[in-house]
Amino acid sequence: MAMVILISALTATHLKAQDNFVFWPDADYDPAIPTVKDVLGYKAGERITWHSDAVRYFEALAKAAPERVSVAKYAESWEGRELIYVVVSSAENMARIDDIKTGMQRLADPRKTSRAEANDIISDQPAVTWLSYGVHGNEISSTEAAMLTAYHLLASRGDQRVADIMRDTVVVIDPMQNPDGRDRFIHHFETAEGLVPDSDRISAEHNEPWPGGRTNHYLFDLNRDWFIMTQPETRGRVEILQEWYPVAFVDAHEMGSDSTYYFAPQAIPFNPYLAGDQLASLALFGKNNARWFDSFGLDYFTREIFDAFYPGYGASWPSYFGSIGMTYEQASSRGLVVRQYDGNDLSYAYTIRNHFVTSLSTAEITAANREKFLTDFYNYHSSAIEDGSKDSIKSYILPKQADQAAVNKLTGLLVQQGVEVGRANSSFDACGSSYAAGTFVINTAQPSKRFIRTLMDVNVPMEESFLAEQERRRAKNLRDEIYDVTAWSLPLMMNVKVDTCYRPVNEKFTAAGPELIQPGTVSEGAGSVAYLVPWGSAPAVRLLVNAMRKGLAVKSSDLAFTHNGNRYPAGTLILDAADNPDNLPEIMTDLAHSTGADTTSVDNSWVTDGPNFGSQNVVRFNQPKVAIVWDEPTLSYSAGNTRFIIERQFDLPVTAIRARQLINSDLSRYQVLILPQSGYRQGYADVLGKKGTANLKDWVAKGGVLIGLGNANRYLADPNIDLQSIRRENAVVETGNEKSSGTSSKNENKPMEATVKGSNLADASAYRDSITPEKDKPDSVAGVLVKSDVDPDHWLGAGVAPTLNVLVRGTDIYTPIKMNKGVNVAAFRGADDLLASGYIWEQNRKQLAYKPFVVAQRSGKGYVIGFTQDPNVRAYLDGLNIIFMNAILRGSAHARPVR
Ligand SMILES: [Zn+2]
C-alpha cells in the first residue's frame, strides 16, 4: 500500500502532530542503531506494523548490535507465524546469559540452593524484566512500543537510567503474543482505509468485522488460557518463562478509546495465595509510572478495575512463579486516530508513547530494586515450601479411576507448569484409604505450592468485604465488579476425583512426565471376532473418529454389557473383524497407541449380560459431516473454541458456514449442525429470518442433528421458532413484595394511565422497592461450577460420568422438557447441593435447581439437542467432552435420514 502518500495527505495539524511527536524528550541516539523508519520506511505511529515487519525490525537490531540483543523463536501460531522474544542487556550480561538463566532457576528452588548460595547468586546477578505486548491482536499500540523500547535501550547515549537498566537487568521483550490476531486486525484496517485516517468511530476502519483481531486463529482469548495451555502460543510462553523466571512481568493491553491509562496496583479481589511482598511491590512500579506520567502531563488511573484473581491471565500466571505480575492498559486508537468523547483526536503515536514510557519505567524500577526483587523471588519459593509443610492440605492424591486419561492429562498439565507430581511405584495406604500402584500424588511442600493450591483446591475464596460490596451494588442495581469466572478448579473441570490428605505422602515415586496422552494398549485375545473400546474417555472418542476416517466399520452398544467377565460401559465401541479389513489387528494397535485408547481384542461374541453385538441396542456409526455456524450472529469465542475441540482434540474436520448461508443453502450434505452461542448485537432469529428457520426445520425433519449451545437455545426455544420445547425463564417473582416478572407485567393492551394510585412510602425498605425496576431476567452470573446429574438410560448419557460440573455464566435458565416431548439428559442438582465451586447469587442458585443442562428432542427423522450452558468455553471443561461428542457422534448414529 502507498503509505507515503497516505501520510502526506493527513490534515495539516495531524501531520504536524505526527512529525513533531516526541517519544522521549532529550534523547541522544546512536545513528548506528537502525530506527523503525530506517528499516520499515515510516516512523513509529505512522502505520500499524505487520507481524513480519516487526520481526524484520528486531532482526535488524540484532544485526546492528549482536553483542547486546538477541532474537529467539518460542512458538508458532496456527497460521504459521513465528512468535519471538527479544533479549536486551549489556554486552557483559549477554556474554553470560546462560549463567544468568541458571542463576534464576537455582533461586527458584530453595531445596537445592541454600540461602548462602542464594545470596551469592543475588549479589552477582541482574534481574529479568519481562515485557509482553499485544496478547489481544486488536490492541495494537504495544507492539510499536516494543520496537521503541528495544531501540531506546540500544541506541541511547549518555543516559544514566538506560545504563543502569542495561547493567542491572535483562529486558526480555515479547513484542507480539498473538500475531494471527494482529495481522487480522491490520488486514481489515487497511482494507477499509481511505485518503486520510478517519477518527470517526462509525467509520469502517474502526469497525472490525467478525471475529475481530482480539483472538487467535481458533478464536481463543489468549489472556485466559495460561494455566490450561490449549493453544500453541501459550504453551511456548509457559515453557520460556520457566527458563527465565522474570522478577517483573508486564502484560500491555489496550482498553476503550475514551479511557486514559491504567497501571498497577491492581483491583481487588486478590488471590489469597499470592505473597504479601508481591502486592507491596506493585506500588513501586505504579508510583514510578505515575512520576513519569506527571512529568509528561498524562492522565492515568489505578486499582478500580482489572483484578488478577483468575489465574489464567498474563498478569496473574507469572505471579505464581514469584514474579510481580502487572497489567498495563492504554486507551486504544483502534486505528491511526480516533475521536474521543470530549472531541479530542487520540493519535496512534500518543498511545504508543504511553506504553513506551511505562515499559522503560518498569525496567528502571527493576534495576533500582534488583537485589530486593531477587531476594523476594527466592523468599517467595522458600516460603511456598514452608507453607506447604504447614498447610492443612499437605498432599493431593489422584486415585486410579474410570477416566484415567483425564488424570494423565491433568498431571501432564501440572508438570508442564513446573509442578512435581509423583506416581506411586506400589500400592500404599494414606489418610485412611488404600491406593493402587500408579496413583498420582502431589505433595504441597514444593516451590509451586501456591500454584498447586490455586488450581487444585475446590474453591479459592474471595475476600468477604469484596463479596459484601458486590451484594450491596446488586441491591442498588449497579453492575457487579466480578471481572471473570469465580471457579476454575482443575479436578472439577476435568471431572477427576482427588483426595486431600493432611500429611505428606512419602512413598516410592517415579516423577510423572509432561505428556498429556499416554499411549493405549491392546489386551487379551487375537481379535479374531472383534475389538472392544470402552467408552467414556477422550482417547476412545479419538479412536472412534480416526477409525471412521480410515473407513473402518464401528458400532456401539447403547447399554452396558458383560463379556468374558469384564463389564463394559454404555457406549462401548465394537469393531467386528468380519466387517473390517484383514489387517485390523495392526490398525488397532496403531490406533490404540496414537489415540491413547485401551482396547480389548476378543475371540468370541458371547455376552453374559446386556445386549449382544447384533442387538437393536447396538447402533452403527457413519462418519458424520459436521458443520458449525460461523460469523455474525455467533459469539466468536464459542464458535472458534467449539471448532477447536472437535478438530484438534478429537481429529474430526468441521465445516464453518456463515450464518447467512443457512437461509437458502442445501444442507443435506451435513448430518450435524452446531449453533454456537450468539453474540451481543443480534440473535439467530434476526439473521436467519423465517426462511432460514424453515430451512433448518426441514433439514432436521429429514434427519439432521441440530445442536444449540448456551444462549443459542433462546432461538431454538423461542415460541415463534419452536425448534425445541423448552422455554427460557424470567426471574422468579419474589413473594412478599410487588415485584413481578417481566412478561406478566407488560400489560401491553391496556391504555397508559396519566396518573397512578397514590402510596405512602412508610420506610426505607418501601422506598427501595419503589425504585427497584421490574426484573426481566435472572441476574447475570460471572461464572460458577454447578453440579448436574446425567440420565444413564439415554444414549446421550452413554459412558458419561454420573455427575458433571458445568460452568454456569450469564442469565440463561430454561424450563425442563416435558416427557412426551423429549428427555432432560442432564439436569442441575437441587439448590442445597447445586454449587460445586465459585460465588453464585442466592436467587440464581434457587432458580437453577433441577433445570436442564442437556435436552434431547426427537424431531421428524432428526434431533434437536440443547446445551443450556456452553460446554466448550475456553476448551477447558474436559469433563463435558464426552456428552458433547456424544451429541455429535451418537446423535448422528441415532438419527434416521434416508441414506
Ligand atoms: Zn487486552
Side-chain angles (χ1 to χ4, degrees), residues 705-783:
V705 178
L706 185 62
I707 302 173
L709 304 183
N711 67 11
N713 288 287
R714 293 179 194 174
Y715 165 72
L716 301 175
D718 180 334
N720 299 313
I721 307 291
D722 201 30
L723 268 155
Q724 203 174 53
S725 302
I726 58 172
R727 293 292 177 260
R728 188 177 176 209
E729 294 189 0
N730 288 312
V732 171
V733 182
E734 286 176 18
T735 49
N737 65 28
E738 291 180 12
K739 279 182 269 175
S740 54
S741 74
T743 40
S744 59
S745 70
K746 274 182 203 148
N747 259 327
E748 274 154 24
N749 299 328
K750 219 173 157 190
M752 287 285 274
E753 306 264 359
T755 59
V756 298
K757 214 164 76 181
S759 72
N760 296 324
L761 298 179
D763 53 20
S765 147
Y767 165 68
R768 218 165 25 246
D769 280 355
S770 77
I771 62 170
T772 304
E774 287 163 358
K775 227 181 239 177
D776 259 1
K777 298 295 176 284
D779 279 345
S780 185
V781 175

Side-chain angles (χ1 to χ4, degrees), residues 135-136 138-139 214 223 252-255 329:
V135 72
H136 296 136
N138 58 359
E139 299 174 2
R214 179 180 174 89
N223 195 35
H253 291 255
E254 286 186 347
M255 55 188 164
E329 302 260 358

Side-chain angles (χ1 to χ4, degrees), residues 565-769:
N566 296 321
R567 189 73 180 157
Y568 291 89
T572 292
L573 306 178
I574 303 161
L575 292 95
D576 284 331
D579 298 342
N580 280 299
D582 292 345
N583 63 341
L584 186 63
E586 292 93 86
I587 299 178
M588 288 307 291
T589 304
D590 285 353
L591 282 178
H593 191 88
S594 63
T595 63
D598 288 328
T599 71
T600 308
S601 53
V602 297
D603 295 315
N604 70 70
S605 64
W606 188 245
V607 166
T608 51
D609 178 47
N612 291 103
F613 299 169
S615 156
Q616 280 287 336
N617 285 308
V618 172
V619 290
R620 218 166 257 290
F621 287 104
N622 289 292
Q623 186 191 333
K625 234 178 130 32
V626 179
I628 190 165
V629 187
W630 209 242
D631 210 328
E632 295 283 353
T634 73
L635 180 68
S636 60
Y637 300 123
S638 180
N641 300 3
T642 297
R643 189 186 197 188
F644 166 82
I645 287 176
I646 305 169
E647 290 197 334
R648 299 293 177 170
Q649 297 190 331
F650 296 110
D651 302 335
L652 188 63
V654 176
T655 302
I657 301 179
R658 294 186 204 283
R660 283 178 199 289
Q661 293 290 324
L662 299 177
I663 300 172
N664 290 314
S665 300
D666 177 2
L667 297 171
S668 61
R669 218 172 277 124
Y670 298 93
Q671 286 77 51
V672 177
L673 177 65
I674 299 165
L675 304 186
Q677 299 222 63
S678 59
Y680 312 106
R681 275 175 279 191
Q682 44 186 353
Y684 284 104
D686 303 315
V687 172
L688 298 178
K690 281 196 171 123
K691 227 175 147 186
T693 298
N695 196 25
L696 282 188
K697 281 187 173 175
D698 178 58
W699 172 79
V700 172
K702 286 177 176 156
V705 178
L706 185 62
I707 302 173
L709 304 183
N711 67 11
N713 288 287
R714 293 179 194 174
Y715 165 72
L716 301 175
D718 180 334
N720 299 313
I721 307 291
D722 201 30
L723 268 155
Q724 203 174 53
S725 302
I726 58 172
R727 293 292 177 260
R728 188 177 176 209
E729 294 189 0
N730 288 312
V732 171
V733 182
E734 286 176 18
T735 49
N737 65 28
E738 291 180 12
K739 279 182 269 175
S740 54
S741 74
T743 40
S744 59
S745 70
K746 274 182 203 148
N747 259 327
E748 274 154 24
N749 299 328
K750 219 173 157 190
M752 287 285 274
E753 306 264 359
T755 59
V756 298
K757 214 164 76 181
S759 72
N760 296 324
L761 298 179
D763 53 20
S765 147
Y767 165 68
R768 218 165 25 246
D769 280 355

